[in-house]
Amino acid sequence: LRSVREAVVSTQSTGHYYITNNLRSIMTDVEPGSKREAPDTPPQQLSNRKKKKNKWKNRKEYLDGKNRPNKKPKNDAPSGVRGNWDPIVKSNEQFETYYKALQLFPEEEWESFMSHMRVDLPATFRVVNSRGDSIPLNNIMKEQHFSKLKGVLIEGEPCPIPENIPWYPGGLAWQIDMSRPMLRHSEELFSLHQFLVSEVERGSIARQEAVSMIPPLVLDVKPHHTVLDMCAAPGSKTLQLLEALHAEGPHPTGLVIANDGDNKRCYMLVTQTKKFNSMAFMITNEDATRFPNVKVFNDKGKLVSLKYDRILCDVPCTGDGTLRKNYAIWKKWNQGQAIGIHKLQRRILLRAMDMLAEGGRIVYSTCSLNPIENEATVLSALRDRPEFRLVPSEGFLPELKRRPGLKTWKVMHNSGTWYEKFDDITIPHHRKSIAPTMFPTDSENHNLEYCMRVYPHDQNTGGFFICVIERKEADPEPVQITHEGKEVPIDTDDTEDVPKPDDPFKDNIHKNTNVLVDKMTWKTYHGYREDPYLFLEPDSEAFKTLKEWYQLSDSFPYGNIFARSKTVETQKQRNLSVACSRLRDIIQQNENKIKIINCGLRLFSYCKENFSKCPYRLLQEGAHFTSKYMGAKLFEVSLEDMIKVLGPDTGVPKHTLKPDLFEKVKDLPTGIIVFYLPASGIVPTIYSCVYSTENGVKAYITEDEKNHFRLILGQEPLMTKRELKKLEAMENHRKKKIETAARIALEIAEKENEDSKTSSDSPDNALTAENVDESAPLGNDYTVGDDFGAEDVEAER
């Protein structure tokens, strides 16, 4: 040991430890100085040199396809058809055994249920119903796209015509009996697909599974409600909540808070919902089981926890109701998944119950058919919270085919053992995994039949579970009689009085610096660390510039404008957004308690290299809001001038506009202005940001926004860059298919020629008088002449 300790030395320059010659000789019995003597350079340094030397060699081999791990085989199959990959096996013995034993429906429906589960889910989409243009857009879709599909053949079969989903309000939801990959790759449906893609990018149409539309509808959101979506990503249901909140106008008194525990999925949620352009919307990144109390001031000036009128709990689940689109579940499904996720679902639902206001409503939903995730979770929560009850489902969506919730069920351990009661479990490790809350204890007292179960074979949808839970109204407040004989409610609120700040900007910024005071005690967050919210002071430099250029009125909500920045420097405030007053108060009181990902409506964006006098550019998403407060930079235009501006990107010379409009805009300096076309009939008011130069004007909006306005105004849409790229890809794919077919035909022809040449040159096959057996039948290798009965031989061939 002493020899070993003396032999191990430390190289201070590199920090490596290496073996000296003496230690190598001790370990290998090799004399020092021999050929197997250890090198003087540490092994780690040699390894690094070798890696550096072979860096570009390895990269070249990788690009050439050598030494590439798990390289997938090239897929030469036609579009919509799987190529060299193994076929998907849409079968799971444990799944079928489990649900057969549960008897979810009569046994004669089982084959229909399984046949629907093995067929791809139809493509569904809906028209967004709160932008004011849903009716004309729905008519355009029916008249210009759906009507053209009649008589179209796809792979020899008639093209399915989109059908209206009967239970969706207003007839704005559609279903086409075709999978999304086929809709995406079919050349015959190119026009329809590009229309849907363009409107989805703009936010006028949402692609969403049919059963996923049900929970927001039965939640019954009103414009004055405070709504919480606890597990919101990817955001299709959140978008429906926003539609309901803005059903009566763009400025509701309520708000929507969308939360998700996954940081990356929160940014997916931002992408999905920012198209709606709402100033009463906030996204948070918190654990739904421990969602923090949001503090707000009540009417008495006390700081209390915010209670929600509506809460949507679309909780994480095993997802076996989505087998028609998530094929991987066929292979992975087992009963242990439901047992493992039951406790998480229960904690989320209990937390939602604690935050619900009196008389409020919760919708609990999953895309699973398992009663352990559905009825068992709801039943256990109702037993723990007796002030809640289930709401009957008969009055919701009358044309939706649904089944009542289960009242009895059994629990199966992953090993295959069934249990009807928790007391029947005698195996110790089974008692650890199976909880008492998974069994139908006292189910007859909680009306589980009010729950809704949607099965795929009822209306060609996915599988889903929905239930509506309501908090009972509280007893009337106790009153006391005063000396004057008046009844005065007794103040039972023991919340500590906290003075409401008079000046929201007081103590927000250091006296002698321009750095925002960091009051936040940052807790450990997963994902990105968000910048704080800086609400601008009314006398800030940004407001002075905006007032001068856009001539904003005094009624503009200057106190609700904020930027995401750590400093008050104008150059660092890239975007200026607006939030409603309730949302502003929530941010100011809770920014150090809740991780806020995004909120409000973007109005202005800072342009560093801008030829305009105003460095802030008005954004199209905020044009409808800002236009109400604008002065000289807002212009009413005629239909002809609006169509001109919405033309190609070359711009419109100012002198080609109508004389009255030309006189107004001819002397304008370079910058952003707003053109608007008043509402007419079913067509709503159209606002468009326009970039004005010395000689011309040009619509400063996206291609999708421009094509949407053109469609609403009865004009043909312009070809977008995305469509040109798609057409080029389809043409290249068509040429490749023709080249492949020609190459295969040529190879077959060459092979046949070689075979025929080989057979004719073979001496064994030569036709001579010696080797011909007249009694034997003639085959393909014989040279047939008229003497041998050519017609008979050809028939035999």
Side-chain angles (χ1 to χ4, degrees), residues 578-602:
V578 61
C580 65
S581 299
R582 291 189 62 194
L583 203 58
R584 177 200 62 195
D585 296 339
I586 290 176
I587 294 172
Q588 291 177 339
Q589 298 300 326
N590 301 273
E591 192 176 5
N592 60 336
K593 300 176 183 178
I594 302 176
K595 186 179 181 183
I596 303 174
I597 300 296
N598 193 15
C599 74
L601 169 65
R602 287 200 314 160

Side-chain angles (χ1 to χ4, degrees), residues 68-203:
R68 188 181 300 183
N70 301 325
K71 182 181 178 182
K72 292 184 178 180
K74 187 176 180 181
N75 184 9
D76 293 329
S79 60
V81 180
R82 291 179 63 87
N84 300 325
W85 291 276
D86 296 334
I88 299 173
V89 179
K90 296 182 178 181
S91 177
N92 187 304
E93 184 178 355
Q94 189 176 0
F95 173 86
E96 297 184 31
T97 302
Y98 178 75
Y99 281 112
K100 270 187 176 180
L102 287 179
Q103 299 178 355
L104 302 180
F105 34 75
E107 187 177 355
E108 57 268 16
E109 298 182 22
W110 178 258
E111 292 300 327
S112 177
F113 168 74
M114 288 303 300
S115 62
H116 277 79
M117 292 293 275
R118 294 189 176 102
V119 178
D120 289 344
L121 189 69
T124 53
F125 49 90
R126 60 181 182 84
V127 180
V128 177
N129 189 27
S130 60
R131 289 180 172 269
D133 53 9
S134 58
I135 295 178
L137 184 63
N138 203 38
N139 295 336
I140 290 171
M141 189 164 53
K142 291 188 291 185
E143 296 170 1
Q144 298 186 11
H145 294 280
F146 294 168
S147 60
K148 296 180 181 179
L149 299 180
K150 296 180 180 179
V152 176
L153 298 179
I154 299 179
E155 298 179 358
E157 298 292 333
C159 176
I161 306 299
E163 298 178 354
N164 199 261
I165 298 179
W167 46 263
Y168 193 87
L172 299 178
W174 297 86
Q175 175 173 303
I176 180 171
D177 195 10
M178 181 183 299
S179 64
R180 289 182 61 179
M182 186 176 293
L183 178 62
R184 183 165 55 245
H185 296 295
S186 176
E187 296 184 9
E188 294 81 0
L189 301 177
F190 174 78
S191 176
L192 174 61
H193 180 255
Q194 292 304 311
F195 166 77
L196 294 177
V197 170
S198 177
E199 294 299 328
V200 167
E201 288 295 325
R202 196 249 174 188

